[in-house]
Amino acid sequence: MTAGWLEGRRALVVGAGSGIGRAVVDVFLAEGARVAVLERDPDKSAAIGAALPEVPVTVGDAVTRQANDAAVTAAVEAFGGLDVLVNCVGVFDFYRSLLDLDADVLDVAFDEMFRTNVLSHLQSVKAALPHLQASGRGVVLLTESTSSYFPGRGGVLYLSSKFAVRGIVTALAHDLAPEVRVNGVAPGGTLGTDLRGLPSLGTAGSSLGDIPGRAEELASRVPLQVALTAADHAWSYVFLASDRSRGITGGVVHPDGGIGVSASPRKRS
Ligand SMILES: NC(=O)c1ccc[n+]([C@@H]2O[C@H](COP(=O)([O-])OP(=O)(O)OC[C@H]3O[C@@H](n4cnc5c(N)ncnc54)[C@H](O)[C@@H]3O)[C@@H](O)[C@H]2O)c1
């Protein structure tokens, strides 16, 4: 039997209860990593604990320093250190343009979006950093989006928050070298996740995964004509967490069906 790509690696996955984070947990374990998680939703956390008793689960809000410190402590106590920090936390704005946002709600919606999508990423890296530096092969993987690069697949708050995550990858890759590599994964629209909206916009109970016809819609707008799942994206995280990407920092993998080359339709004779 060949060794897994992440044999011996010790990882913390933040936002691991469903969707992309949950798929990352499964494939990291399959590739030989030991994995701890931080997740806000108590039911999703309990489900991970029941399915994967070897995984230390911390229930808490990744926006806070306290929850991230607790999750890092749990991981380090269980594994003796930490090599990889993955953050898959995120919320969505269901395509609201500035035209559709009431002025009254803008400041609260901004805070909700940026605290969850941006501050949680900074907090998790900050909490893990001493251990990632001590690892000698530390890796940070943050979840961007096609919305970190292109308009149209989210509203103005989601897009700007995802551009900010892209900025964090660039800034931290610069600041944390050579001890820690920092890269992003920028998935395209994804099937079967539970990406939620914002309380202030009345969409906290809505899930992007619930939209009817999403598979056909996703496939129809990318050159590769694929509708990708969280499990598809998880392999990009495996590559960037492994020593096979040891020369890569400040980079990004785009598992998105080729959206970057779809600007104009291909001419056919
Ligand atoms: N679904 C898509 O089409 C898509 C496309 C591109 C990028 N993304 C990004 O991928 C990431 C994962 O999204 P997903 O679609 O898998 O959604 P998801 O909701 O299924 O997964 C996110 C997980 O993070 C948890 N979470 C949310 N806020 C949290 C907090 N403050 N503290 C702790 N845990 C928290 C959620 O409970 C959930 O388990 C997000 O950053 C999202 O923006 C998603």
Side-chain angles (χ1 to χ4, degrees):
M1 207 172 101
T2 53
W5 279 41
L6 301 179
E7 215 62 56
R9 301 292 265 164
R10 301 160 298 185
L12 172 62
V13 181
V14 180
S18 58
I20 296 168
R22 185 66 175 78
V24 167
V25 171
D26 287 341
V27 75
F28 271 35
L29 290 170
E31 290 297 319
R34 284 174 289 170
V35 183
V37 306
L38 170 60
E39 166 58 43
R40 180 177 59 180
D41 184 300
D43 293 338
K44 292 178 182 179
S45 300
I48 295 176
L52 303 170
E54 74 274 32
V55 171
V57 178
T58 301
V59 186
D61 184 347
V63 168
T64 68
R65 175 180 175 179
Q66 181 197 27
N68 284 289
D69 282 347
V72 168
T73 299
V76 170
E77 281 179 2
F79 309 146
L82 192 62
D83 308 298
V84 182
L85 181 277
V86 178
N87 194 315
C88 293
V89 164
V91 285
F92 192 56
D93 62 2
F94 289 91
Y95 312 103
R96 294 275 190 108
S97 102
L98 193 60
L99 301 168
D100 307 324
L101 285 167
D102 287 340
D104 291 347
V105 87
L106 189 55
D107 57 350
V108 181
F110 177 91
D111 281 353
E112 289 172 354
M113 179 64 79
F114 273 74
R115 287 177 68 79
T116 304
N117 284 14
V118 184
L119 180 58
S120 80
H121 286 241
L122 288 170
Q123 291 281 33
S124 61
V125 179
K126 183 70 179 169
L129 195 49
H131 303 285
L132 299 177
Q133 288 171 316
S135 150
R137 297 185 300 154
V139 168
V140 170
L141 296 176
L142 303 184
T143 305
E144 304 182 9
S145 168
T146 53
S147 293
S148 301
Y149 298 84
F150 308 107
R153 302 312 308 167
V156 65
L157 292 177
Y158 185 72
L159 236 86
S160 52
S161 75
K162 285 299 179 179
F163 265 72
V165 176
R166 177 181 170 191
I168 293 172
V169 168
T170 300
L172 293 186
H174 171 269
D175 293 352
L176 303 186
E179 292 87 1
V180 180
R181 295 191 296 116
V182 183
N183 290 294
V185 177
T190 309
L191 292 178
T193 80
D194 190 29
L195 191 61
R196 297 297 179 106
L198 300 178
S200 62
L201 301 184
T203 53
S206 306
S207 171
L208 189 59
D210 292 344
I211 293 175
R214 185 160 160 80
E216 294 72 21
E217 197 261 328
L218 289 179
S220 71
R221 61 182 162 79
V222 292
L224 293 180
Q225 298 179 6
V226 287
L228 297 171
T229 66
D232 291 313
H233 301 320
W235 293 106
S236 298
Y237 294 81
V238 169
F239 168 63
L240 290 171
S242 78
D243 287 337
R244 286 164 165 96
S245 61
R246 73 186 187 95
I248 302 176
T249 197
V252 59
V253 173
H254 295 269
D256 62 10
I259 206 158
V261 291
S262 64
S264 38
R266 183 156 59 103
K267 286 204 170 76
R268 293 167 195 272
S269 52

